[in-house]
Amino acid sequence: MRISYAWIFNKRFKMLKQKCLQAIWQCSALIVLASLLAFSINYLRNERLHLFGNWAPEARLMDSSGKRLDISLPEAKKLFLQQSVVFIDARPQDDYEKGHIKRALCLPWNEVDRNFMEVTEDISPDTPIITYCDGETCELSHNLAIFLLDMGFSNVRILKNGWALWKEEDLPIESGSSTAGQG
Amino acid sequence: MERRRSSHRIRQFDCRTRLIRLIRIEYFQWSPLVGPTEKMDKKRTHLSRFLYYGARWILGGVFIYASYDKILHPAAFSKIIYNYQILPDGLINLTALVLPMLELIMGIFFWVGFWMPGSVMLSNILLVSYIGALILNLARGLDINCGCFSMSSGSSINVETILWDAAFLSLSVYLTVAVFGSENSRVLKQIHG
């Protein structure tokens, strides 16, 4: 057999090409296999995930009956000045103590089961409540609002990215745990 | 006549040794060689095999472990994908369903050694895109849940998660060299007949 550099490289190139083609069809087959398995398992699941979910901001901030839960900053400010609303901070207690909306109560989402009764005992079920946390993608206020609705409070709204917006507008804030309703 | 034959053999042998040396030099010295080179350097082959199987088992385990919580909680995973703000809305739920299953199958294939070229290529693509997504969101300053292994809210993205992903990527790249480079030894086999 005649061997030359060209022969070796040619052979290697051919084999590499063959292997790459093999890898490409295997990748496609893996994706198809995974999709089929995933869809079948999702179909058999009790709580199915919709294949094409509605992720528009309005849809995400709705309760189960389709009512919008979010509230705009001017509206929240108006209610705050009328003193007719209770703000509830859903962030962890450390963040609350560093600074929060004036007169806001502290009910961290991760300790909601423990502190819920204590924090909400003075609030009547039809009192307007606004939950807030910090950041565009923060889910804490949304989770807390759904939880409060489930617990029987009828007028719960969410101020999305509330803490950041409130600070930007230079609206009244305070720090410490004085109005936390808990230790 | 006899002398011509023997000189031809010497030339041929010389040529083969030079070519084999050439291939071995340009090859990663820790890559898993089989065939004639196994006889040449047993120690190195043992080490490379140990590394090859080690990398496969570690990466397989990582993918299976990562898929577990995501398969159990697809809704939580879809929220995490949404928070990354990279995919269009229409693809979020599809990704939340298919990606964990893909990781599970890849992990199992890594363990059993089935469809290695495809699995290795896909793991490279996935790990590079994970690292890209993490870097992008760190640069944006978004404080979001990583969703790498657990769906709980305690694991936000940081430099450490990127370094972990880079470590897994290096294992995956090593496997790529091992899987795609193993053609060299087949060429060697053909030379030796």
Side-chain angles (χ1 to χ4, degrees):
Chain A
M1 184 166 63
R2 280 182 70 100
I3 302 166
S4 66
Y5 287 103
W7 180 86
I8 290 271
F9 285 113
N10 193 20
K11 201 85 184 161
R12 283 186 57 192
F13 177 74
K14 267 188 187 168
M15 284 184 165
L16 204 62
K17 193 178 151 192
Q18 201 183 342
K19 203 125 205 178
C20 283
L21 288 174
Q22 194 186 6
I24 289 167
W25 81 253
Q26 284 177 0
C27 275
S28 325
L30 266 168
I31 292 169
V32 171
L33 189 67
S35 311
L36 287 176
L37 256 175
F39 297 150
S40 334
I41 289 175
N42 188 47
Y43 184 74
L44 296 173
R45 223 188 275 268
N46 285 335
E47 290 176 15
R48 268 177 230 161
L49 192 68
H50 295 289
L51 294 188
F52 302 98
N54 188 358
W55 289 94
E58 310 82 52
R60 291 184 62 242
L61 296 170
M62 272 181 189
D63 64 3
S64 49
S65 61
K67 187 184 144 200
R68 276 188 74 153
L69 292 177
D70 58 326
I71 186 170
S72 65
L73 184 65
E75 218 176 323
K77 183 182 162 186
K78 196 174 135 195
L79 291 172
F80 174 81
L81 294 173
Q82 288 170 357
Q83 299 203 3
S84 60
V85 68
V86 176
F87 279 88
I88 299 187
D89 193 323
R91 297 174 300 158
Q93 189 157 358
D94 289 350
D95 293 336
Y96 173 86
E97 283 172 8
K98 279 180 205 156
H100 54 261
I101 294 176
K102 200 171 180 184
R103 297 191 300 272
L105 300 179
C106 175
L107 184 54
W109 171 243
N110 52 0
E111 293 169 16
V112 71
D113 295 336
R114 194 146 32 107
N115 299 333
F116 168 71
M117 293 303 288
E118 199 181 339
V119 175
T120 57
E121 63 186 351
D122 297 332
I123 307 173
S124 65
D126 53 349
T127 309
I129 295 173
I130 296 178
T131 63
Y132 72 91
C133 57
D134 190 17
E136 278 292 334
T137 61
C138 178
E139 292 282 334
L140 304 174
S141 53
H142 186 238
N143 295 342
L144 184 62
I146 300 287
F147 175 79
L148 291 173
L149 283 168
D150 288 344
M151 287 293 134
F153 292 93
S154 55
N155 198 355
V156 186
R157 310 291 294 273
I158 303 162
L159 182 59
K160 204 177 166 217
N161 195 15
W163 177 234
L165 291 175
W166 200 263
K167 273 194 302 182
E168 271 173 27
E169 282 283 310
D170 277 333
L171 291 165
I173 57 169
E174 60 186 7
S175 57
S177 56
S178 55
T179 54
Q182 44 151 334
Chain B
M1 188 67 182
E2 191 59 36
R3 194 185 292 166
R4 269 178 67 189
R5 256 189 207 165
S6 67
S7 71
H8 173 71
R9 267 187 203 151
I10 288 167
R11 269 214 310 279
Q12 204 179 18
F13 177 75
D14 196 40
C15 178
R16 279 176 187 170
T17 347
R18 279 210 330 260
L19 284 170
I20 289 163
R21 200 171 293 155
L22 171 88
I23 292 167
R24 290 184 63 190
I25 286 167
E26 68 174 291
Y27 202 12
F28 283 87
Q29 61 168 343
W30 50 78
S31 110
L33 290 171
V34 286
T37 41
E38 197 170 9
K39 288 173 199 161
M40 294 172 203
D41 196 342
K42 272 192 175 176
K43 257 189 187 173
R44 202 164 71 188
T45 314
H46 281 313
L47 177 68
S48 61
R49 285 205 164 171
F50 174 75
L51 285 174
Y52 174 66
Y53 285 107
R56 259 177 53 186
W57 275 85
I58 292 171
L59 214 54
V62 165
F63 275 123
I64 291 172
Y65 177 58
S67 69
Y68 174 72
D69 213 18
K70 294 174 195 165
I71 291 174
L72 288 185
H73 307 109
F77 186 48
S78 64
K79 269 186 188 168
I80 290 171
I81 297 176
Y82 170 81
N83 287 343
Y84 270 86
Q85 296 179 19
I86 292 174
L87 288 176
D89 291 356
L91 289 180
I92 291 174
N93 283 10
L94 282 178
T95 313
L97 287 172
V98 176
L99 191 64
M101 202 50 74
L102 198 59
E103 287 182 339
L104 178 71
I105 295 174
M106 268 165 50
I108 293 170
F109 281 7
F110 272 130
W111 275 4
V112 296
F114 186 64
W115 280 3
M116 281 307 284
S119 304
V120 156
M121 190 186 252
L122 210 54
S123 88
N124 282 332
I125 296 170
L126 285 185
L127 287 167
V128 167
S129 33
Y130 291 165
I131 291 174
L134 288 172
I135 290 175
L136 185 72
N137 275 323
L138 264 191
R140 279 177 180 169
L142 286 185
D143 182 19
I144 55 172
N145 184 5
C146 172
C148 307
F149 292 105
S150 156
M151 297 303 105
S152 66
S153 55
S155 53
S156 58
I157 56 170
N158 51 37
V159 179
E160 198 188 319
T161 48
I162 295 177
L163 290 178
W164 272 112
D165 267 357
F168 299 139
L169 180 64
S170 62
L171 282 182
S172 186
V173 169
Y174 169 75
L175 280 180
T176 313
V177 174
V179 170
F180 284 79
S182 62
E183 294 303 341
N184 280 347
S185 50
R186 239 194 259 175
V187 177
L188 285 177
K189 247 184 192 171
Q190 285 199 359
I191 296 168
H192 283 256

